[in-house]
Amino acid sequence: MIRSHAQGGVDRLGEMIAAAKIIVPFTGAGISTETGIPDFRSPGGLWTRNQPIHFDEFVASQDARDEAWRRRFAMQETFAAAHPGRGHRALASLYRAGKIPAVITQNIDNLHQDSGFAADHVIELHGNTTYARCIGCGQRYELDWVQQRFAQHKAAPDCPACDEPVKTATVSFGQAMPEAEMQRATELAQHCDLFLAIGSSLVVWPAAGFPLMAKRAGARLVIINREPTDQDDVADLVIHDDIGEVLGPFIRN
Ligand code: NAD
């Protein structure tokens, strides 16, 4: 394993990208911090302000649903103002070049789609916060609709069709992982020759199992994160640096 900072790591990464035929990126909140969306665990991150609301709590309590939606609306300006960062744009360049078949992401911010990935080529393990769904019948609702109902009734709305709660289309703690996405991510991890874990603390399971799965299936593993992770020791290359700085040189317009 090579641990690297700055230029040496970028050069080595460039060689590995050039040599690879199928590259699968796996992204976490760190790829989006330069767009203004905070991650969970860094100082100032979302968890230093709010503990997450578990799925059971959301289902059981109107107060918890109200609080979850108040928090989501409080973040709306931040999400709406965010544009793809250098990391997203570099991955989109490699996607357009035919090197990346799809991206696996823990992120919920829609920025891979905004950077040019087809929606079907973004495997969202934890869903998407830019719209909502009924947790009963799965009907999609836009956030504007939720916000209007909330303002009108001073409470988080239920689905008009089936009366079940409406929630951001994300996977909360305690909620089942999406089966189809887990299956596609497994296939991608097992059939690539280079796996890039980018901006994830690699502590949220089962998502954090994909880098190890790719490595065991024979891929080379690169971890790009400014802090160490528990999986650094098994990686072929570890770059502890800013993602925008590391991936910026791979942007092609
Ligand atoms: P995390 O907060 O646990 O870890 C992010 C990691 O990225 C940290 O180790 C941090 O040091 C690193 N990092 C932050 N900015 C960086 C930068 N510019 N350059 C290099 N490294 C940087 O996030 P996670 O592992 O994705 O897991 C937490 C969960 O939080 C995910 O499941 C995701 O669903 C959710 N989340 C998503 C978003 C988003 O969609 N943008 C934001 C916050 C949380």
Side-chain angles (χ1 to χ4, degrees):
M1 191 261 296
I2 301 174
R3 278 175 207 271
S4 179
H5 293 272
Q7 196 54 44
V10 177
D11 291 347
R12 183 73 194 110
L13 177 61
E15 290 162 13
M16 292 169 92
I17 287 174
K21 287 198 172 60
I22 304 174
I23 303 171
V24 171
F26 167 86
T27 61
I31 197 172
S32 296
T33 51
E34 77 170 13
T35 76
I37 301 172
D39 63 12
F40 268 167
R41 290 176 181 77
S42 292
L46 296 173
W47 274 10
T48 58
R49 287 178 259 158
N50 287 314
Q51 284 299 307
I53 295 169
H54 281 244
F55 184 63
D56 289 352
E57 222 184 318
F58 184 92
V59 174
S61 149
Q62 180 71 44
D63 282 351
R65 294 197 287 280
D66 293 351
E67 174 61 13
W69 276 110
R70 269 193 294 271
R71 288 183 194 179
R72 177 61 188 85
F73 298 142
M75 287 295 293
Q76 179 53 12
E77 265 185 46
T78 303
F79 278 112
H83 295 292
R86 287 171 293 174
H88 299 100
R89 286 158 51 214
L91 297 182
S93 299
L94 292 166
Y95 170 67
R96 281 195 301 275
K99 287 240 176 195
I100 291 178
V103 55
I104 305 169
T105 190
Q106 293 179 275
N107 293 345
I108 54 176
D109 55 26
N110 211 60
L111 289 177
H112 288 300
Q113 291 91 326
D114 292 347
S115 74
F117 276 81
D120 191 43
H121 295 153
V122 183
I123 317 300
E124 293 175 319
L125 298 176
H126 295 158
N128 190 309
T129 194
T130 64
Y131 59 94
R133 281 198 192 281
C134 166
I135 62 172
C137 69
Q139 172 68 42
R140 174 176 169 142
Y141 293 96
E142 302 311 316
L143 297 193
D144 282 352
W145 179 89
V146 178
Q147 202 155 13
Q148 277 165 19
R149 289 287 176 122
F150 198 111
Q152 224 175 341
H153 301 285
K154 309 277 180 273
D158 292 333
C159 175
C162 74
D163 261 353
E164 293 290 328
V166 172
K167 179 180 165 297
T168 54
T170 50
V171 178
S172 299
F173 284 99
Q175 195 172 2
M177 294 293 286
E179 270 176 42
E181 281 79 0
M182 288 299 284
Q183 187 55 39
R184 285 187 71 196
T186 299
E187 280 159 21
L188 285 161
Q190 291 178 338
H191 295 99
C192 63
D193 47 15
L194 180 59
F195 192 93
L196 308 176
I198 303 166
S200 175
S201 53
L202 300 179
V203 296
V204 181
W205 292 78
F210 288 111
L212 291 173
M213 186 188 288
K215 180 70 187 157
R216 287 195 191 115
R220 292 214 274 180
L221 173 61
V222 176
I223 295 178
I224 307 169
N225 204 57
R226 65 182 168 209
E227 287 173 336
T229 75
D230 287 348
Q231 300 186 23
D232 285 4
D233 286 345
V234 300
D236 297 279
L237 173 67
V238 177
I239 305 179
H240 289 158
D241 207 337
D242 179 74
I243 291 160
E245 292 297 308
V246 173
L247 292 180
F250 299 99
I251 297 172
R252 304 281 178 275
N253 289 315

